[in-house]
Amino acid sequence: MKIAKPLKVTLGILLFLYPVFILLSLTVFNLPMSTVSLGMLIIGVAGYLANTGQGSRWVPAGAGVIALLALVFNSETVIKIYPICITIVFLGLFGGSLMRKKPIVVHFAEMMDSSIKTHPGRAEIERYCKNVTVIWCVWFVISLAINTYLVICGTTKQWTYFNGLVCYIVQGMLFAGEFIIRYFVNNKINARYNLPKQGMFSFLRKKEIES
C-alpha cells in the first residue's frame, strides 16, 4: 500500500507525542474522557493495521487496549498507564537480556557494525555493551517509579511534563552521551590491537558498504 509508509510515520509521531495529546485534550480543549479515549483507540487500531511486521505492532496494540479500557471505565488514570506498560516491556527486554549470554545492546551494536563479531577485542566490546544495558535498565526503573507515583499522586500536567518533556530530554542525553563515549571506547580498543582509528560516523559508512 502506498499510504502505509506515510501513515506509519504519522501514527508513530502521534504515539510518540502521546502525553502531549492527553494534556491538550484534557486541559486545553477540555474534551470529555470518552472522546480522548476514542481518539487514542482509533490511533492504536490504525497503527496496528498500518504495521505489517509482528514486532512493530505491539506498541499501537498496547495503546489501543489501554484506550479501550479508559473508554469503558471513563478513567483518566487508566489512560496514563500506557508509559508504564511500555517501560515495563523495555525493562523486561533489557533486564532479561542481562541474564542471557548476549545483552540486547550487543545485538544492536552488531546490527550497526557486523565486524564486531570477528573483532579481536570482542570481549571488551561486549563488556562495554553490557554496562550500557545496565544504565538503560537503571533509567527504566527510575522512570517506572516516577510514572507510578505521578499516576497515583500527581496531576495531569505533572504527568505530561515528565512523559512529554523530561523523559525525552533524559533519553536524548543518554543516546548522545553513549554515542560520544562509544567513539573513545572503540578507538581505545582498536589502539590496543593496532587497528586503525575509527571516525565518529564510521558505522554509517559501513552500513552503506554492506547494503
Side-chain angles (χ1 to χ4, degrees), residues 35 48 56 73 81 83-84 116 126 181 190 196:
T35 303
Y48 181 85
S56 59
F73 294 103
I81 292 176
I84 293 179
I116 290 175
E126 289 189 351
I181 294 172
N190 284 347

Side-chain angles (χ1 to χ4, degrees), residues 60-134:
V65 170
I66 290 173
L68 179 61
L69 291 174
L71 182 64
V72 172
F73 294 103
N74 194 35
S75 172
E76 183 178 320
T77 300
V78 173
I79 209 166
K80 292 179 181 177
I81 292 176
Y82 175 71
I84 293 179
C85 295
I86 296 297
T87 303
I88 290 174
V89 170
F90 277 107
L91 180 59
L93 289 173
F94 279 67
S97 73
L98 291 172
M99 308 297 179
R100 298 189 292 272
K101 185 178 180 180
K102 186 184 293 186
I104 194 169
V105 174
V106 176
H107 286 286
F108 294 154
E110 290 178 348
M111 289 170 60
M112 297 300 296
D113 184 359
S114 59
S115 67
I116 290 175
K117 297 177 181 179
T118 57
H119 197 288
R122 177 178 173 83
E124 296 170 79
I125 295 173
E126 289 189 351
R127 187 159 53 249
Y128 167 76
C129 290
K130 182 177 181 179
N131 291 335
V132 173
T133 305
V134 171

Side-chain angles (χ1 to χ4, degrees), residues 8 30 45 55 68 70 74 93 103 135-136 155 157 173-174 199:
K8 278 193 236 183
N30 294 315
V45 171
L68 179 61
N74 194 35
L93 289 173
I135 290 172
W136 275 104
T155 64
K157 186 172 289 188
M173 290 173 64
L174 285 174

Side-chain angles (χ1 to χ4, degrees), residues 21-39:
F21 173 81
I22 300 301
L23 177 67
L24 294 176
S25 300
L26 294 177
T27 62
V28 178
F29 298 110
N30 294 315
L31 297 176
M33 177 54 60
S34 57
T35 303
V36 176
S37 302
L38 183 60

